[in-house]
Amino acid sequence: MTLWKTLEQRELIDAADRHLASHITALDDNAPPDLGPLAALASAQIRAGNICLPLDENPLLETLGLNPDADALKKSPLVGEPGEQGRPLILDQGRLYLARYHAWEQQVLRALRRLLAAAPPALDEAALKARLAEQFPDSRGEGVDWQRVAVALAVTHRFCIISGGPGTGKTWTLARILEQLRAQPGGDSARIALAAPTGKAAARMTEAIREANPDLLADLDEAKTLHRLLGMRPGRVRPRHGPDNPLPFDQIIIDEVSMVDLPMMARLMAALPSDARLILLGDRYQLASVEAGQIMADLCGDGGETYSPETARRIRQLTGDRLPVADAPHPVMADHLIILRHSRRFDPHRGIGALARAVNAGDSNATLQTLRAGEPQVHWRAADPATLNQLLQKQIVPVFQSLRETSDPAQALRGLNRLRVLCALRDGPQGVANLNALIERALGADNRGLYHGQPIMVTVNDYAQQLFNGDIGLILRDPQGRLRAWFPDGDNTARPILTARLPAHETVYAMTIHKSQGSEFQEVILVLPEQDSPVVTRELFYTGLTRAREKVVVCASEGAVRDALSMRTQRVSGLYRALWEEG
């Protein structure tokens, strides 16, 4: 059997990967014999979320009998080194990249290194210190107040990353940061941009800031999607804003960074003004982006535990907090990262908080113990048809039936967040398609077209309608009996869209956990599949259960739970090594 046959039969590559590899190797009659398979594998890595193909100590290559010679590869005109132009492949420290992905990674690294090396912003430290005391009047107990430290760190640096799980107060902390920035000299006239990867996440960012301090939005624009911020246009590869036309902002703040893929982060970094401040927020333990890259995890690395003596000294002067100091020199990146540890929503020793902590740690015994404890916040059920049907009749159908009987669209949209069924997979007995069909059948819905009470999720960006991938709405009849699609419109109002003008969408009684990122629901019914799947990982489990604010029902067998905890999302890129190992 040829190597190509082996690659295809094992589904390590597809036809597009082989076609690309053939196109590349056709450019050089003397290409090394293993370059074609390596190029195909490098292409396939992108679909798996990786940025590159590691050539050194790679078990996959060893099982295929591939022993790539880096020196031989470098001699090929098809393989360039970092900085070389016009080569379809780049070899960088034992990692083989498709050239455009290497270029995007380097764009991110260059921008980060510029931010890390930038002089601190000018500020009034006395005003900062006084306002910190006003903002955190009750922080006199033992230990570090990490929210206060996050505010001080963000204001005193041009670049800051704030990571924390649900309920740790990331957006509340951001509101305090915005208050401080406004109070600094020139702060009233500073141009501030708020953005998130999806319209849904952007809307939540705006609403959370409004709840934390309504006055902040009086002179701030509402959060935008990254697509809108950068000026992405249908049919055009390059956004409106880039190196030649930077973003017109002094301070740029991005939420839900775990959802941002490498190409989008590269476009953002390319559009950063040279003197701008960048603040990134997210949860490093959450699922990585659907596309290639794990930006949040790579940026956070192993940081958040210790700081340089200089940074610790300055933070103590401003806040009184004693940061843990590193025993040896450590990466510059570590001084720009804060991990918010204390959840104000969940008790870390009970319920959803305890379950999230156990899942994060990959502790199957503690996870199962929490699932069996019988606490009000956490319920454990099987994922067999009989159990799912019982849940459907007793818990799911009544919620969606009540929405059909609500005359106020805005109230119905708020009710839509009461409960959501989250699935790991789209297909299969425990998948989105099957559960949506079961719920529609139980509701007596005519699913041959749009119908009253149908929850929908937009699956593309439609700039004309101001609807974006991930936006969720409801099909309801207006007072004249006409079907309209209703979407949230800020300030607890709803706006109607003619059904004929709806962009591509899908029914969303149940949705994938990936699609739920950036959302919160009062109650979540989390369904894990019985069949093995590389998609079902610890990060997926954690992300799904932490979408719940009050209650989570986990539908899964013990084996499915253990399998999920044993699988980690581990993506390959050069970002982590460059930022945390090479400095």
Side-chain angles (χ1 to χ4, degrees), residues 2-5 7 12-13 17-18 20-22 24-25 31-45 53 55 60-61 64-66 68 73 89 96:
T2 67
L3 178 56
W4 285 111
K5 278 288 185 185
L7 293 173
L12 297 173
I13 65 170
D17 301 321
R18 184 164 185 176
L20 175 64
S22 298
I24 289 173
T25 54
D34 57 356
L35 187 59
L38 291 173
L41 287 168
S43 172
Q45 292 299 298
L53 174 70
L55 301 185
L60 172 62
L61 299 186
L64 294 169
L66 282 168
L73 291 175
L89 300 167
L96 186 67

Side-chain angles (χ1 to χ4, degrees), residues 13-285:
I13 65 170
D14 64 13
D17 301 321
R18 184 164 185 176
H19 178 75
L20 175 64
S22 298
H23 175 72
I24 289 173
T25 54
L27 299 174
D28 178 20
D29 292 337
N30 298 313
D34 57 356
L35 187 59
L38 291 173
L41 287 168
S43 172
Q45 292 299 298
I46 304 303
R47 285 196 312 283
N50 299 309
I51 304 302
C52 53
L53 174 70
L55 301 185
D56 300 332
E57 299 180 2
N58 186 333
L60 172 62
L61 299 186
E62 292 174 8
T63 62
L64 294 169
L66 282 168
N67 299 293
D69 183 340
D71 292 332
L73 291 175
K74 288 177 184 177
K75 293 175 182 177
S76 170
L78 304 176
V79 181
E81 295 188 79
E84 287 192 81
Q85 302 295 317
R87 309 292 181 98
L89 300 167
I90 299 293
L91 186 60
D92 187 355
Q93 300 191 53
R95 301 183 299 272
L96 186 67
Y97 293 78
L98 299 184
R100 65 182 180 277
Y101 280 87
H102 187 265
W104 282 326
E105 187 173 273
Q106 291 302 304
Q107 175 66 61
V108 173
L109 277 172
R110 284 193 300 272
L112 286 172
R113 284 169 173 156
R114 186 180 71 244
L115 286 165
L116 294 173
L123 56 87
D124 183 337
E125 290 203 9
L128 170 59
K129 185 174 181 179
R131 196 164 183 83
L132 281 168
E134 294 174 7
Q135 290 176 320
F136 298 89
D138 301 322
S139 296
R140 300 189 180 89
E142 296 182 0
V144 176
D145 187 326
W146 290 103
Q147 287 184 315
R148 178 169 57 188
V149 171
V151 175
L153 199 74
V155 176
T156 55
H157 288 68
R158 287 208 178 275
F159 174 59
C160 178
I161 310 171
I162 301 172
S163 174
T168 54
K170 294 188 294 294
T171 313
W172 186 91
T173 302
L174 174 59
R176 307 289 84 80
I177 292 169
L178 291 169
E179 291 168 0
Q180 288 281 3
L181 293 175
R182 284 300 194 211
Q184 285 294 312
D188 289 342
S189 59
R191 300 164 300 171
I192 300 176
L194 305 174
T198 66
K200 179 174 50 181
R204 274 200 58 231
M205 185 183 190
T206 299
E207 187 56 34
I209 292 173
R210 182 180 286 114
E211 290 175 3
N213 184 346
D215 296 337
L216 286 171
L217 293 176
D219 56 353
L220 278 178
D221 289 336
E222 291 190 346
K224 301 179 175 70
T225 64
L226 281 170
H227 282 81
R228 287 184 62 198
L229 177 70
L230 294 171
M232 303 285 287
R233 294 164 287 184
R236 301 195 183 185
V237 175
R238 292 186 178 181
R240 182 176 297 111
H241 294 289
D244 300 326
N245 182 27
L247 290 163
F249 298 104
D250 306 301
Q251 296 154 6
I252 298 168
I253 302 166
I254 311 297
D255 197 9
E256 297 288 357
V257 175
S258 62
M259 299 167 66
V260 180
D261 58 36
L262 176 66
M264 181 58 76
M265 183 58 75
R267 292 185 182 103
L268 172 66
M269 293 302 198
L272 278 182
S274 59
D275 57 350
R277 184 196 309 267
L278 179 64
I279 299 173
L280 306 178
L281 300 97
D283 184 349
R284 66 175 175 180
Y285 296 115

Side-chain angles (χ1 to χ4, degrees), residues 391-406 412-413 415-422 435-436 439-440 442-443 445 451-456 472-476 507-511 521 523 525:
L391 280 171
L392 188 149
Q393 297 295 337
K394 291 186 175 180
Q395 291 180 240
I396 300 171
V397 167
V399 169
F400 290 108
Q401 186 63 46
S402 70
L403 300 183
R404 307 172 107 196
E405 299 165 359
T406 303
L413 285 168
L416 193 54
N417 288 326
R418 282 171 53 194
L419 177 143
R420 189 62 47 82
V421 180
L422 301 183
L435 287 172
N436 272 327
I439 295 168
E440 284 186 316
L443 286 165
Y451 55 86
H452 179 73
Q454 179 183 10
I456 60 171
I472 291 178
L474 266 176
I475 304 296
L476 297 171
T507 303
V508 71
Y509 296 103
M511 64 194 300
F521 311 99
E523 180 178 346
I525 295 177

